[in-house]
């Protein structure tokens, strides 16, 4: 009797949880059934609350140091444990891709549920945890549907809405009616023996099991990647027919309560009317809530941190409201998601959108997992299993056959009207994809056993149907899809030209419809779009968001971001910050189309010639294979601000991974990345220092030790204390080398006072757009090249062309630039090279040395310093 | 209506039906529309198209209208443009958007696809040199974006540039820096739009009934 606690804990694998439970098992097994729904508690546990309360209250004879209050936390505790177990189940299952590629995850989760249920059964001899309709319909289903609505490809959905509705409404009714009638017929024919089920009950059963289940369908189909039209057909149908099936169920349930004799034409008409009211009322309600969310997110600019919450709360409210008004809650929350997606994505901050997306997925995926696990667990219960071979097998058969008939017949009709007919293979997949799931089970459990004598038979049949479809059909779906060569979904994303061309086609079709005087759906869509542009967006979107919503523009923006990313990544890989500073970055595109440009874009040409004039070897060496940042800067004034932010963001993401970057100031309402100037500067300096160090160490390797000059001796001395950390930084790679020890960074910060070369680098590397540290750098400029040093350097290098000079011949300043391309291999030296450039240019501006002397002092200065 | 019924059996309809694949009924409806547009004249001019109110907010209206006056769309080797078109030309251009029959061989399907895409290609390739140059493509994007006021011309330009660059990288693979991508040839165009389901993109259901009264 004490095992359920262990079962849970063993599965959760959490040692910490061990102690509470071991002490509590005695109390717990009395109350195990209180898991989620108090009213489901079996009668024998009724006494437990009193008992424990008593125990709890009477124990105060002395001051307790630690109290053990299991009952205080029991329910939330168990719920949390179950969530954890379900999550771990998924973790275990997903760990092996070989298995999941054969058996769909949903099936595996159900099997996992079997095992779990078996353990609980073994321990308890009683089914204590099962999926109850209340939990399922109120807490597990809404987020799955909301997620489906929110992620719905709207255009695809609405352009196939007609077909989806036909399948969802007519198809479901057909399934329900045909199944009910056939079973009744077989019953009359004596195929099932003695059962107490009337025609209405059969129809009720038919209606609850008619609907294809969205949870199961998504779970299977998203692993198969069929083409999008087929997917939207099956998926859309499964979503909409949930609404239909719930309505049908309620109507038949009412009929059953009324009893056969009471039903006349009026009642039937009422039933039909209620069907439409419930379905459309639910959709309308969802629509209203969707608008509400959109409207609300327009004004949440100042409370960004809780802005995602509105989406969930209002989405959930739309579900509950519909449930309260006995409208179709599923349709309500579905349309809520569909309506609001566009506007909230535009209105909310990008971070909030990401949050919404993720949380949505977490919730949906989580409850999907729990649903399947519990579907499995529910099976292990002796009390519900009633076997009637005829009934069960015939149900399976009829479901399968009528689904095929229904799909083929409806498609045959639809294909008369469709531009792109649904192919035979797609029809096969559609009929085969008629998976039943938790909705059917939830409804079956909701049956009233006072009215329906064979409730348990219906539950067990439903369970078998669910297992059969989800596990068997789920497993065979993938091979079938492969075998039939079903057209798969395209994997790649749309390219920009495809997007543009998409638009062209859209407008073209509308125009042709206009010209030819036909009113097709292109025309209607266009009308709707105009209306939406004019009114809906005006009402529901922030003015700032309205600007950027063009699709082509969005793709363009995405591409830009990608370019910028790769640009930065590339630059960083080469270890340089130069590309950011460079205000006319080199673009090979310009070169390629330069001739054309010269007419259209004289300004760019001007820049280009500049660019080429001032261009260094490095730039020519690495043309960035994409449109560069600065080009956008010039051409897209509207984008400038966001680009700036992006660059900033990229910098933070890519360059500064210093440990101290985030000084975590706690704030409940703000989530700032730290932007303290000093800190950024410190990180920057540390970065540069690391680079310099690694550069030096690389160089030390090249130059023979005997050529060390007095400057480098100073260097050496200065380096000594950090020797250890230097090694460390060398052994690390990439970003990590910014993280070398703290004490060192402090000394590094102070060190420049004593070491001139270091100063030079700081200044040279000041290739950061952030103006924050520029003022700090500038004061150093005068003392940049201390004349005495420079002289000394020049002297030493010129006057003594000794053995030493020969050794470092390749490194003399005049050769330096020419050799640069050869040295790409080592990151450190390259960084130095690149960082070097702006400094030199800048110095040119300060007109220190006139152009003729080709070796500008600083390189030589540095050079000598290291040798 | 009586006059219409008598048109029904006219031999020229037979020819047109053969040439374009439209049914008699569809031809009749389209003819009706033609007359409505041309104010009962024999020919349509550009100004007639410009009067269609629904078309007014179409961003690429100019290109589409131009396509109706483009000889390339009448027959294989046509060239240049005309000033006015008769019903036959109107119908021929319309026939580019006719859904093909359901029973076709793979080869026929491919031909239909080529033909339909050729129409779009010609629409973009305004100077009929066999390539959509950057200049021409920019024009397309500019027009496409012309209605969303927030975007400036410059943006359109850079979008076109980016798209063209992308095209270059797709269709040419790796290019040397000094290579020059002249423009999209028809073959490239076909390749680029390989994933497009042309059936849903270039087809319109031509109804048999007359809806022109509903359309302004």
């Amino acid at each position: 009797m004490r095992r359920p606690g262990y079962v849970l804990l063993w599965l959760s694998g959490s040692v910490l949880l061990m102690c509470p439970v071991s002490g509590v098992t005695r109390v717990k097994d009395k109350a195990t059934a209180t898991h989620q729904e108090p009213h489901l508690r079996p009668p024998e546990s009724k006494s437990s609350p009193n008992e424990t309360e008593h125990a709890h209250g009477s124990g105060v004879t002395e001051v307790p140091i630690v109290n053990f209050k299991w009952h205080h936390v029991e329910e939330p505790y168990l719920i949390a444990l179950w969530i954890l177990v379900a999550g771990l189940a998924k973790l275990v299952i997903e760990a092996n891709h070989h298995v999941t590629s054969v058996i769909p995850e949903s099936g595996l989760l159900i099997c996992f549920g079997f095992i779990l249920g078996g353990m609980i059964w073994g321990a308890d001899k009683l089914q204590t945890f099962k999926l109850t309709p209340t939990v399922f319909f109120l807490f597990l289903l809404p987020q799955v549907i909301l997620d489906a609505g929110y992620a719905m490809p709207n255009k695809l959905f609405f352009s196939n809405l007609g077909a989806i509705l036909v399948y969802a409404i007519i198809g479901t009714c057909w399934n329900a009616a045909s199944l009910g009638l056939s079973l009744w017929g077989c019953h009359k024919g004596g195929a099932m023996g003695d059962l107490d089920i009337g025609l209405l009950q059969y129809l009720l059963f038919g209606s609850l099991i008619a609907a294809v289940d969205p949870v199961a369908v998504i779970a299977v189909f998203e692993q198969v990647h069929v083409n999008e039209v087929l997917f939207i057909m099956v998926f859309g149908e499964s979503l909409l027919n949930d609404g239909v099936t719930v309505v049908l169920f309620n109507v038949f349930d009412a009929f059953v309560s009324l009893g056969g004799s009471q039903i006349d034409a009026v009642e039937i008409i009422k039933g039909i009317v209620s069907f439409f009211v419930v379905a459309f009322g639910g959709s309308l309600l969802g629509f209203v809530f969707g608008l509400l969310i959109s409207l609300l997110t327009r004004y949440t600019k100042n409370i960004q941190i809780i802005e995602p919450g509105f989406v969930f709360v209002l989405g959930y409210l739309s579900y509950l409201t519909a449930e309260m008004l006995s409208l179709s809650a599923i349709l309500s929350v579905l349309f809520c998601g569909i309506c609001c997606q566009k506007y909230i994505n535009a209105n909310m901050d990008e971070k909030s959108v990401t949050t919404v997306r993720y949380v949505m997925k977490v919730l949906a995926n989580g409850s999907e997992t729990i649903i399947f696990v519990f579907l499995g667990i529910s099976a292990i219960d002796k009390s519900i299993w009633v076997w009637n071979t005829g009934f069960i097998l015939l149900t399976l058969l009829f479901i399968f056959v009528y689904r095929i008939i229904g799909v083929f017949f409806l498609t045959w009709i639809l294909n008369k009207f469709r531009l792109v007919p649904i192919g035979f293979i797609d029809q096969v997949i559609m009929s085969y994809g008629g998976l039943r799931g938790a909705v059917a089970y939830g409804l079956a459990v909701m049956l009233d056993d006072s009215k329906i004598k064979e409730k348990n038979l219906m539950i067990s049949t439903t369970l078998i149907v669910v297992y059969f479809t989800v596990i068997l059909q789920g497993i065979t779906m993938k091979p079938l899809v492969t075998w039939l060569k079903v057209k798969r979904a395209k994997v790649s994303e749309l390219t920009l030209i495809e997007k543009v061309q998409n638009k062209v086609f859209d407008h073209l079709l509308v125009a042709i419809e206009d010209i030819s005087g036909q009113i097709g759906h292109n025309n209607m869509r266009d009308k709707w779009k105009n209306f939406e542009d004019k009114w809906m967006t005006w009402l529901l979107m922030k003015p700032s968001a309205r600007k950027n919503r063009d699709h082509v523009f969005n793709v363009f923006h995405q591409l830009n971001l990608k370019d910028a990313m790769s640009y930065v990544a590339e630059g960083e890989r080469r270890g340089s910050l130069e590309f950011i500073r460079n205000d006319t970055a080199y673009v090979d595109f310009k070169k390629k189309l330069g001739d054309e440009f010269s007419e259209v874009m004289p300004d760019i040409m001007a820049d280009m010639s500049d660019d080429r004039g001032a261009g260094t070897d490095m730039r020519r060496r690495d043309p960035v294979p994409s449109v560069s940042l600065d080009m956008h800067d010039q051409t897209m004034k509207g984008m400038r601000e966001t680009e700036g932010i992006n660059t900033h963001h990229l910098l933070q993401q890519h360059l500064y991974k210093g440990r101290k970057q985030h000084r975590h100031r706690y704030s409940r309402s703000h989530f700032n990345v730290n932007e303290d100037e000093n800190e950024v500067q410190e990180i920057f300096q540390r970065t540069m220092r690391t680079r310099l160090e690694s550069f030096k160490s690389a160089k030390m390797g090249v130059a023979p030790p005997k050529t060390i000059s007095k400057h480098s001796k100073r260097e050496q001395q200065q380096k000594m204390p950090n020797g250890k950390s230097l090694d460390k930084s060398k052994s690390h790679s990439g970003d990590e080398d910014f993280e070398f020890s703290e004490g060192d960074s402090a000394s590094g910060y102070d060190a420049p006072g004593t070491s001139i070369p270091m100063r030079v680098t700081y200044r040279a590397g000041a290739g950061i757009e952030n103006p924050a540290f520029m003022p700090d750098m500038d004061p150093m400029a005068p003392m940049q090249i201390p004349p005495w040093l420079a002289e000394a350097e020049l002297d030493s290098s010129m006057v003594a062309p000794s053995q030493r000079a020969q050794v470092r011949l390749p490194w003399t300043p005049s050769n330096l630039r020419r050799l640069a391309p050869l040295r790409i291999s080592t990151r450190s030296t390259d960084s130095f090279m690149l960082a070097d450039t702006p400094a030199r240019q800048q110095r040119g501006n300060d007109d220190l040395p006139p152009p003729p002397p080709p070796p500008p002092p600083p390189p030589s200065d540095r050079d000598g310093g290291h040798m | 209506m009586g006059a219409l019924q008598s048109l029904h059996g006219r031999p020229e309809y037979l020819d047109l039906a053969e040439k374009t694949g439209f049914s008699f009924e569809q031809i009749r409806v389209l003819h009706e529309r033609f007359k409505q547009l041309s104010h009962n004249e024999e020919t349509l001019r550009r100004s007639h198209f410009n009067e269609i109110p629904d078309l007014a907010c179409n961003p690429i209206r100019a290109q589409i209208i131009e396509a109706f006056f483009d000889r390339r769309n009448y027959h294989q080797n046509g060239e240049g443009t005309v000033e006015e078109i008769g019903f036959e030309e109107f119908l021929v251009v319309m026939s580019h958007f006719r859904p093909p029959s359901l029973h076709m061989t793979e080869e026929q399907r491919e031909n239909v696809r080529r033909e339909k895409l050729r129409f779009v290609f010609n629409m973009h390739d305004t100077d009929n040199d066999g390539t959509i140059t950057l200049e021409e493509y920019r024009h397309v994007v500019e027009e496409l974006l012309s209605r969303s006021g927030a975007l400036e011309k410059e943006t359109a330009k850079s979008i076109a540039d980016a798209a063209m660059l992308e095209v270059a990288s797709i269709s040419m693979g790796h290019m040397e820096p000094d290579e020059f991508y002249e423009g999209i040839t028809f073959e490239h165009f076909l390749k680029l739009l390989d994933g497009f389901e042309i059936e849903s993109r270039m087809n319109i259901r031509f109804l048999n009934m007359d809806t022109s009264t509903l359309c302004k």
Side-chain angles (χ1 to χ4, degrees):
Chain A
M1 285 296 269
R2 25 188 11 222
R3 290 230 320 257
Y6 287 123
V7 167
L8 278 179
L9 289 174
W10 170 72
L11 283 163
S12 58
S14 158
V15 184
L16 281 177
L17 298 175
M18 218 54 180
C19 14
V21 172
S22 54
V24 166
T25 32
R26 193 192 58 82
V27 195
K28 192 184 168 186
D29 52 11
K30 280 188 185 149
T32 30
T34 58
H35 165 44
Q36 274 154 346
E37 279 310 300
H39 67 258
L40 280 167
R41 208 177 284 163
E44 69 266 21
S45 71
K46 279 262 165 72
S47 60
S48 67
N50 297 334
E51 208 176 283
T52 45
E53 249 168 55
H54 175 71
H56 188 69
S58 66
V60 199
T61 51
E62 54 194 300
V63 177
I65 296 170
V66 179
N67 250 344
F68 197 76
K69 297 188 281 186
W70 164 250
H71 281 283
H72 187 59
V73 294
E74 180 179 343
E75 267 195 44
Y77 204 99
L78 281 175
I79 293 171
L81 271 186
W82 272 116
I83 293 172
L84 182 65
V85 167
L88 288 171
K90 187 147 181 144
L91 184 83
V92 170
I93 285 165
E94 283 297 319
N96 195 340
H97 280 292
H98 296 296
V99 180
T100 44
S101 64
V102 180
I103 307 170
E105 196 189 281
S106 46
L108 283 173
L109 284 171
I110 288 181
C111 296
F112 186 84
F114 288 156
I115 300 170
L116 212 59
M119 287 178 188
I120 295 172
W121 181 261
D124 264 5
K125 303 284 178 247
L126 184 73
Q127 174 54 274
T128 41
F129 303 100
K130 59 179 155 196
L131 196 57
T132 66
T134 328
V135 170
F136 174 70
F137 281 111
L138 288 188
F139 302 117
L140 292 176
L141 192 59
Q143 57 263 43
V144 179
I145 309 288
L146 183 65
D147 176 60
Y150 180 72
M152 179 71 75
N154 274 353
K155 193 179 167 190
L156 200 59
F157 179 71
F158 283 110
S159 54
N160 289 301
L161 187 62
I164 291 171
L165 280 177
V166 167
Y167 288 122
I169 297 175
I170 303 178
T172 308
C173 290
W174 153 258
N175 280 349
S178 59
L179 178 70
L181 288 173
S182 315
L183 282 178
W184 181 67
C186 293
H187 183 197
K188 287 285 162 201
M192 300 170 203
D194 189 24
L195 281 178
D196 185 13
I197 305 179
L199 174 60
L200 280 175
Q201 276 98 326
Y202 273 119
L203 285 175
L204 181 60
F205 177 67
S207 68
L208 75 85
I209 213 164
V212 175
D213 184 72
V215 186
V217 163
I218 302 169
V220 169
F221 271 77
E222 83 178 353
Q223 295 180 347
V224 188
H225 306 296
V226 294
N227 65 67
E228 51 184 14
V229 175
L230 178 56
F231 179 76
I232 203 73
M233 289 285 187
V234 181
F235 182 48
E237 182 202 344
S238 70
L239 282 169
L240 293 187
N241 73 7
D242 265 336
V244 175
T245 198
V246 173
V247 176
L248 270 184
F249 178 81
N250 287 337
V251 170
F252 279 113
D253 200 33
F255 282 171
V256 169
S257 318
L258 275 176
S261 55
Q262 303 272 320
I263 299 170
D264 50 14
V266 180
E267 297 298 328
I268 292 177
I269 289 171
K270 268 194 201 161
I272 294 172
V273 170
S274 98
F275 172 83
F276 283 102
V277 170
V278 167
F280 287 99
S283 313
L284 199 69
L285 191 74
F287 186 69
V288 171
F289 267 93
L291 295 190
L292 213 62
I293 296 177
S294 313
L295 206 56
L296 201 61
T297 50
R298 225 187 122 162
Y299 302 105
T300 50
K301 198 176 155 220
N302 296 327
I303 44 165
Q304 264 177 18
I305 220 78
I306 59 166
E307 150 183 272
F310 284 120
V311 178
F312 297 101
V313 172
L314 278 174
Y316 192 47
L317 274 182
S318 82
Y319 188 89
L320 292 182
T321 313
E323 195 74 48
M324 180 176 76
L325 301 173
S326 74
L327 300 173
S328 170
I330 295 174
L331 289 179
S332 172
V333 75
L334 176 72
F335 277 96
C336 178
I338 288 178
C339 289
C340 71
Q341 53 163 270
K342 179 173 173 186
Y343 302 108
I344 61 175
N345 284 355
N347 278 342
M348 289 196 306
D349 188 65
E350 205 162 319
K351 274 183 224 150
S352 306
V353 174
T354 316
T355 312
V356 168
R357 268 190 201 134
Y358 268 83
V359 175
M360 203 79 99
K361 288 286 171 228
V362 169
L363 289 179
N365 214 321
S367 54
E368 188 189 291
T369 310
I370 294 174
I371 288 171
F372 282 122
V373 169
F374 270 88
L375 269 181
I377 292 177
S378 305
I380 314 297
D381 184 359
K382 242 201 273 179
S383 63
I384 61 161
W385 284 110
V386 180
W387 189 262
N388 182 320
T389 318
F391 187 82
I392 290 171
L393 289 187
L394 280 173
T395 306
L396 273 178
L397 178 74
F398 286 142
I399 280 177
F400 197 69
V401 171
Y402 287 130
R403 167 89 188 164
I404 293 177
I405 295 175
V407 165
F408 274 78
F409 178 69
L410 290 175
T411 317
W412 179 71
I413 294 175
L414 281 173
N415 273 352
K416 290 189 180 299
F417 299 100
R418 283 180 67 86
L419 269 179
V420 190
I422 300 165
F424 174 76
I425 289 171
D426 285 5
Q427 294 177 44
V428 172
I429 296 298
M430 276 182 73
S431 4
Y432 200 70
L435 309 177
R436 269 49 168 197
V439 173
Y441 173 73
L443 290 175
V445 175
M446 270 166 71
L447 288 173
D448 183 355
D449 48 3
S450 64
K451 279 178 277 179
I452 294 156
K453 300 286 181 306
E454 304 289 349
K455 179 187 171 186
N456 279 343
L457 176 61
M458 288 187 182
I459 293 179
S460 41
T461 312
T462 310
L463 276 177
I464 288 181
V465 169
V466 170
Y467 299 146
F468 182 82
T469 52
V470 171
I471 299 178
L472 279 183
Q473 294 192 13
I475 291 173
T476 45
M477 180 63 84
K478 211 171 191 176
L480 191 73
V481 164
T482 327
W483 182 60
L484 288 174
K485 298 194 183 66
V486 176
K487 219 163 111 196
R488 300 295 184 98
K490 264 208 308 186
V491 192
S492 61
E493 269 180 50
L494 284 182
T495 53
L496 194 53
I497 188 166
E498 281 176 313
K499 276 272 182 187
V500 169
Q501 223 53 42
N502 248 332
K503 283 252 158 179
V504 170
F505 280 127
D506 283 351
H507 290 305
L508 188 62
L509 284 189
V510 174
I512 297 294
E513 276 191 1
D514 286 340
I515 291 171
S516 66
Q518 316 274 342
I519 301 186
H521 65 264
N522 289 306
N523 202 310
M524 307 231 266
R525 192 196 296 151
D526 198 49
K527 289 259 163 58
W528 163 252
K529 211 174 155 290
N530 283 337
F531 169 76
E532 198 188 10
D533 281 354
K534 217 168 170 181
W535 299 108
M536 305 268 285
T537 48
W538 170 78
L539 181 68
L540 300 175
M541 262 192 208
K542 277 197 284 201
S544 58
R546 261 176 255 159
K547 246 191 277 178
N548 294 338
R549 60 173 204 281
D550 192 281
H551 287 295
V552 175
F553 184 76
N554 274 347
V555 180
F556 179 59
H557 183 66
Q558 294 303 320
L559 283 177
N560 270 345
L561 277 185
K562 219 163 62 185
D563 279 354
M565 290 282 218
S566 60
Y567 192 60
V568 170
E570 179 80 351
E572 210 208 7
R573 198 173 56 74
R574 291 167 196 272
S576 161
L577 301 177
E578 184 244 13
F579 62 95
I580 298 165
R581 182 64 186 285
N582 188 5
D583 28 37
T584 51
Y586 186 79
V587 188
D588 64 337
F589 182 57
K590 283 182 197 165
K591 193 174 161 195
K592 260 192 280 181
L593 297 163
D595 300 336
E596 296 229 324
F597 271 147
S598 58
E599 292 152 18
V600 224
M601 285 206 248
D603 52 338
I604 286 194
M605 280 314 285
D607 283 337
M608 257 175 75
S609 51
D610 260 17
D611 192 3
R612 278 186 183 154
T616 57
D617 293 338
M618 276 77 69
R619 289 201 209 143
R620 207 149 284 171
R621 168 163 55 86
D622 54 1
V624 181
S626 51
V627 185
S628 81
L629 284 172
D630 88 289
M631 188 160 156
H632 302 159
D633 243 347
Q634 286 177 348
T635 52
M636 301 170 46
K637 295 190 182 77
M639 284 277 291
R640 183 166 285 170
E641 206 176 310
T642 42
E643 284 290 350
I645 292 167
N646 287 334
T647 317
H648 196 75
H649 183 70
L650 286 173
L651 282 179
Q652 290 201 332
Q653 285 261 299
H654 280 263
L655 296 181
Y656 306 131
K657 295 252 170 71
R659 213 181 318 168
K660 296 198 77 182
Q661 187 191 6
H662 287 270
R663 178 175 293 163
H664 289 287
R665 300 197 202 90
Y666 178 74
S667 162
R668 197 173 279 139
S669 55
H670 292 286
F671 186 70
N672 285 348
V673 176
N674 197 351
E675 281 169 15
D676 186 6
E677 277 180 19
N678 289 331
E679 233 162 49
V680 176
Q681 188 186 342
E682 189 201 320
I683 292 160
F684 167 72
Q685 281 173 340
R686 224 190 293 163
T687 311
M688 284 323 291
R689 204 184 119 79
T690 332
R691 295 229 163 99
L692 182 68
E693 297 283 2
S694 54
F695 164 73
K696 272 187 291 186
S697 58
K699 212 148 197 203
M700 294 314 274
V702 173
K706 59 179 173 178
T707 64
I708 294 172
S709 70
K710 67 177 174 193
H711 284 292
S712 52
K713 259 176 207 157
R714 260 167 71 186
E715 282 281 348
Q716 279 291 87
Q717 280 165 3
Q718 184 242 322
K719 222 191 292 174
M720 292 277 243
N722 321 339
K724 197 179 153 205
S725 65
L726 237 184
D727 289 344
K728 207 165 108 192
S729 77
K730 260 193 287 180
S731 65
H732 287 234
S733 65
D735 291 327
E736 277 184 49
D737 60 6
F738 300 159
E739 281 198 22
F740 70 96
S741 74
E742 305 245 339
D744 178 56
S745 80
S747 74
Y749 191 68
D750 295 332
T754 59
S755 146
I756 283 92
M758 212 169 269
R759 281 257 182 229
V760 174
T761 358
Y762 278 166
R763 191 180 177 283
I768 289 287
E769 227 177 18
N770 193 341
F773 26 74
M774 290 313 286
D776 284 338
M777 294 302 158
D778 281 340
M780 298 174 186
M783 53 179 294
Q784 185 80 58
I785 325 120
W788 63 92
L789 261 183
E791 257 175 328
E793 285 308 314
L794 284 174
D795 279 341
S796 67
S797 63
M798 280 175 181
V799 172
S802 59
Q803 189 195 6
R804 176 184 143 220
Q806 283 160 19
V807 170
R808 51 167 247 234
L809 190 64
W811 301 100
T812 49
S814 52
N815 288 334
L816 194 61
R817 244 173 297 171
R818 196 156 49 77
L819 286 169
L822 300 175
R823 294 166 59 196
I824 17 174
S825 57
T826 51
R827 180 174 172 273
S828 52
T829 48
D830 196 33
S831 87
F832 198 80
M833 284 303 303
L834 290 170
D836 193 9
T837 333
R840 206 181 297 135
Q841 284 171 344
Q842 221 166 320
R843 211 157 299 120
N845 294 341
D846 297 343
D847 54 14
L848 249 166
S860 75
D861 161 32
R862 202 173 307 138
D863 218 25
H866 298 306
M867 288 298 141
Chain B
M1 267 326 243
L4 280 177
Q5 296 298 340
S6 64
L7 287 175
H8 206 269
R10 272 162 61 171
E12 61 180 79
Y13 271 34
L14 249 176
D15 289 351
L16 287 176
E18 223 163 78
K19 191 170 173 188
T20 60
F22 283 117
S23 74
F24 286 138
E25 201 62 9
Q26 285 166 336
I27 294 177
R28 189 183 61 76
V29 171
L30 284 173
H31 201 166
E32 196 62 12
R33 177 68 177 170
F34 181 81
K35 281 191 198 156
Q36 191 190 13
L37 291 180
S38 67
H39 306 297
N40 279 324
E41 285 173 39
E42 281 301 301
T43 54
L44 269 178
R45 282 182 301 279
R46 287 181 177 83
S47 59
H48 290 134
F49 281 99
N50 285 326
E51 285 165 13
I52 303 174
D54 283 338
L55 213 53
C57 44
N58 200 316
I60 54 168
R61 176 180 54 167
Q63 289 212 336
I64 293 167
I65 295 177
E66 211 45 52
F68 275 88
F69 297 91
D70 194 331
R71 281 217 183 88
R72 281 176 293 173
N73 292 329
Y74 306 152
H75 36 80
Q76 208 83 54
N77 300 316
E79 221 173 288
T81 56
V82 292
E83 282 310 307
E84 47 184 31
I85 55 169
F87 180 56
E88 187 184 337
E89 283 84 19
F90 181 74
L91 209 58
V92 170
V93 173
M94 280 292 170
S95 72
H96 283 104
F97 295 89
R98 197 175 53 82
S101 74
L102 295 179
H103 309 288
M104 283 191 304
T105 60
E106 235 5 81
E107 198 179 337
Q108 277 171 319
R109 206 177 292 273
E110 194 50 45
N111 280 340
V112 169
R113 184 189 161 81
R114 278 184 83 94
E115 188 201 313
K116 281 175 192 270
L117 282 179
R118 175 61 91 173
F119 182 86
V120 180
F121 184 81
N122 284 345
M123 211 171 81
H124 295 335
D125 179 23
T126 42
D127 61 356
N128 189 24
D129 62 350
T131 53
I132 301 173
T133 55
L134 179 68
E135 209 44 46
E136 285 163 344
Y137 200 71
R138 238 185 233 161
H139 186 62
V140 175
V141 178
E142 237 167 66
E143 284 197 331
L144 265 183
L145 297 178
S146 62
R147 275 198 61 231
S148 45
L151 305 177
E152 296 159 31
K153 255 192 168 178
E154 297 291 314
T155 316
K157 246 181 212 166
S158 44
I159 290 182
D161 293 350
M164 206 63 171
L165 200 61
E166 200 184 64
V167 169
S169 67
I170 293 173
S171 45
M172 303 291 285
H174 180 71
M175 282 174 57
E176 295 302 316
D178 52 342
E179 257 183 283
F180 179 75
Y181 189 67
E182 290 130 32
I184 312 168
T185 63
F186 184 58
E187 291 306 316
H188 285 165
F189 193 67
L190 277 181
K191 212 162 67 183
L192 286 171
L193 301 182
D194 209 20
F196 267 68
E197 215 179 34
I198 205 68
E199 287 85 359
S200 59
R201 291 257 150 235
M202 276 287 283
N203 291 349
I204 283 177
R205 197 179 312 124
F206 288 97
L207 302 173
N208 288 330
M209 64 186 187
D210 193 356
T211 52
S212 51
T213 45
L214 299 170
C215 249
K216 277 162 278 174

